């Protein structure tokens, strides 16, 4: 109850900041307040979503920790599932260290898969701070029991309600392919909230939710006997192995489910593609960046501030709720994670592009 109260308080605080902070802009091009000590967080989504809350959560800590205690504003530039705002940041925002970008898996996956509408390159940016996120796949208790006994026994497909095969859903879809699960994906829902409602109303019997949504909205369904978790999507460790999500240590990974069902570890291109997508979408879920060609002293100032944020007692306490207890990454550890996450092999990229085209009639190179 205390955790829920704290989460609600922080979300209301973010809303209050949006309403009361005159520095918050909406990407309309209106004149910004004058000043030499102003930092702008570009968020390529509407205000109020997960990435927006993530960015706003960090703003007071950057103000506190950075030398000079700058004013910090958030500029929301929604559109194109984050691509519009990310493109604008890369191509049009000042490269003097005064503007930062808050990215998410919705920005990472199209970049990795060479989506044609992407006009940004994360190699031209310097990461400042990042954070993982997790996800859990669940079903009805009846289907979960059958899944655990023999996941190949489904004569009728399980129905999965999703948003887009080229977004965060891609990781979950690939997990089904690794397991050779008989499923039918119904895509086009407006968000993970509507997809969960579809499950609750019986329109689907297979769903996933990210950590926060699962804990707040699905665990009550598990407790009242209308849902049961199947596995977590997992995290990628420093050795490139899929491991259990630290926030769901009781749940098996896709690899463990596969071994239990088939008696051997998964191998092959689909398995490798799945692990690479987990790395880019969950182990590296959100990142705050600055232009790489910003002044060296500006980058150093931001990096020093990020290190200070990690040690801030108030941040540590509130991050347990907002960031769901996942450890934030900075410095060399963050750069190493990015290098590994975005290093998708040509074979995995080609496989995913072909998969999207064949199964969902989606040519990502033409989007």
């Amino acid at each position: 109850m205390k955790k829920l109260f704290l989460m609600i308080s922080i979300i209301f605080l973010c809303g209050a900041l949006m309403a009361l902070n005159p520095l918050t802009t909406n990407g309309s091009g209106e004149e910004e307040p004058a000043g030499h000590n102003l930092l702008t967080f570009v968020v390529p989504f509407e205000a109020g979503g997960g990435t927006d809350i993530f960015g706003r959560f960090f703003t007071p800590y950057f103000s506190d920790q950075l030398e000079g205690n700058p004013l910090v504003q958030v500029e929301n530039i929604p559109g194109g599932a984050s691509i519009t705002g990310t493109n604008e940041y890369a191509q049009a925002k000042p490269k003097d260290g005064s503007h930062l970008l808050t990215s998410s898996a919705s920005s990472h996956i199209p970049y990795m898969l060479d989506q044609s509408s992407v006009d940004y390159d994360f190699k031209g940016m310097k990461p400042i701070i990042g954070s993982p996120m997790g996800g859990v796949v669940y079903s009805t208790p009846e289907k979960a029991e059958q899944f655990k006994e023999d996941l190949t026994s489904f004569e009728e497909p399980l129905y999965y309600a999703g948003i887009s095969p080229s977004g965060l859903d891609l990781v979950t879809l690939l997990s089904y392919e690794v397991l050779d699960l008989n499923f039918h994906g119904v895509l086009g829902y407006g968000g993970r909230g509507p997809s969960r409602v579809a499950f609750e109303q019986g329109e689907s019997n297979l769903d996933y939710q990210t950590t926060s949504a699962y804990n707040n909205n699905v665990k009550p369904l598990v407790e009242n006997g209308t849902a049961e978790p199947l596995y977590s999507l997992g995290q990628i460790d420093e050795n490139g192995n899929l491991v259990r999500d630290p926030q769901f240590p009781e749940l098996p990974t896709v690899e463990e489910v596969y071994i239990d069902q088939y008696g051997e570890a998964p191998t092959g291109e689909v398995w490798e593609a799945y692990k690479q997508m987990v790395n880019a979408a969950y182990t590296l879920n959100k990142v705050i960046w600055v232009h790489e060609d910003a002044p060296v002293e500006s980058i150093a100032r931001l990096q020093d501030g990020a290190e200070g944020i990690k040690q801030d007692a108030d941040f540590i306490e509130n991050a347990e709720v907002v960031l769901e207890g996942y450890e934030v990454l900075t410095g060399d550890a963050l750069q190493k994670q990015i290098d590994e996450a975005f290093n998708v092999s040509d074979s995995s990229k080609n496989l995913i592009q072909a998969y999207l085209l064949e199964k969902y009639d989606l040519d990502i190179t033409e989007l």
Side-chain angles (χ1 to χ4, degrees):
M1 183 63 69
K2 180 180 178 182
K3 178 177 178 180
L4 179 60
F5 176 78
L6 182 56
M7 173 64 95
I8 292 172
S9 299
I10 291 172
I11 292 174
F12 271 107
L13 176 60
C14 289
L17 287 172
M18 290 190 297
L20 299 177
N21 185 357
L23 298 176
T24 299
T25 67
N26 59 12
S28 63
E30 296 178 0
E31 184 176 353
E32 296 177 354
H36 301 290
N37 202 22
L38 176 65
L39 198 63
T40 299
F41 277 46
V42 172
V43 174
F45 293 96
E46 295 279 2
T51 303
D52 181 69
I53 290 173
F54 176 86
R56 290 179 190 276
F57 172 61
F58 277 96
T59 57
Y61 298 107
F62 270 93
S63 181
D64 289 344
Q65 293 294 330
L66 292 182
E67 181 183 353
N69 304 116
L71 298 173
V72 184
Q73 69 175 350
V74 171
E75 180 180 6
N76 297 93
I77 309 178
S82 84
I83 292 177
T84 301
T86 309
N87 282 343
E88 182 170 332
Y89 175 81
Q91 299 299 322
K93 293 302 178 183
K95 299 182 180 181
D96 57 2
S98 65
H99 286 68
L100 286 79
L101 171 71
T102 304
S103 73
S104 71
S106 296
S107 315
H108 304 163
I109 292 175
Y111 168 74
M112 294 171 61
L113 298 180
D114 296 335
Q115 185 165 320
S116 61
S117 56
V118 167
D119 197 21
Y120 54 86
D121 186 352
F122 286 119
K123 292 179 182 178
M125 304 181 198
K126 194 74 174 176
I128 303 301
I129 197 165
S131 175
M133 182 55 68
V136 174
V137 175
Y138 62 97
S139 186
T140 64
E142 177 187 4
K143 299 298 184 183
E145 182 179 0
Q146 184 178 352
F147 178 94
K148 293 172 183 178
E149 287 182 358
D150 182 2
L151 64 78
T152 66
S153 65
F154 291 100
E155 296 182 0
E156 296 293 327
L158 295 172
Y159 281 86
Y160 170 75
I163 304 169
S164 167
S166 62
L168 199 54
D169 285 283
L170 176 61
V171 183
T172 308
L173 295 172
L174 287 174
S175 79
Y176 302 155
E177 299 295 341
V178 169
L179 295 172
D180 197 21
L181 184 65
N182 184 10
F183 79 98
H184 177 71
V186 180
L187 287 305
Y189 283 81
R192 296 258 41 96
S195 74
R196 189 197 74 250
V197 171
F199 176 88
E200 293 176 0
Q201 295 177 344
E203 297 172 15
S204 69
N205 52 22
L206 186 63
D207 189 35
Y208 92 93
Q209 296 290 328
T210 55
T211 303
S212 179
Y214 181 84
N215 285 334
N216 290 320
N217 300 318
V218 180
K219 275 191 174 180
L221 302 180
V222 175
E223 292 167 359
N224 69 26
T226 57
E228 186 170 336
L230 302 179
Y231 54 87
S232 82
L233 294 169
Q235 298 285 321
I236 301 297
D237 69 10
E238 63 275 10
N239 298 315
N241 298 315
L242 186 72
V243 296
R244 290 195 177 195
D245 191 313
Q247 302 309 314
F248 303 103
E250 75 283 3
L251 295 182
T253 64
V254 174
E255 183 175 22
E256 291 175 285
V257 171
Y258 189 97
I259 292 172
D260 180 64
Q261 292 282 331
Y262 296 105
E264 59 183 5
T267 59
E269 291 185 341
V270 176
W271 169 238
E272 293 302 323
Y274 171 74
K275 289 192 294 179
Q276 289 186 331
M277 290 300 106
V278 169
N279 208 7
Y282 285 101
T283 309
L284 189 69
N285 185 259
K286 290 180 174 63
V287 182
I288 294 174
W289 312 76
V290 69
H291 292 288
E292 186 177 48
D293 47 4
V296 173
E297 60 273 17
S298 295
I299 296 175
R301 177 191 186 211
L302 292 166
Q303 291 175 328
D304 290 344
E307 295 297 337
I309 289 172
K310 283 180 62 177
Q311 307 303 320
D312 184 278
D314 183 70
F315 172 81
I316 292 171
E317 179 181 359
N318 289 328
E320 282 293 320
V321 176
V322 179
L323 305 183
E324 292 292 335
Y326 292 102
E327 181 181 0
V328 295
L329 299 173
T330 58
D332 292 341
L334 175 58
Q335 186 63 61
K336 181 176 183 291
Q337 184 63 50
I338 288 170
D339 292 343
E340 293 174 351
F342 289 171
N343 187 28
V344 59
S345 68
D346 289 340
S347 61
S348 290
K349 185 185 301 184
N350 293 337
L351 180 144
I352 293 171
Q353 290 175 346
Y355 171 72
L356 293 174
L357 183 60
E358 178 181 349
K359 193 150 188 176
Y360 298 101
D361 196 27
L362 180 65
D363 186 350
I364 197 168
T365 65
E366 297 296 330
L367 288 179

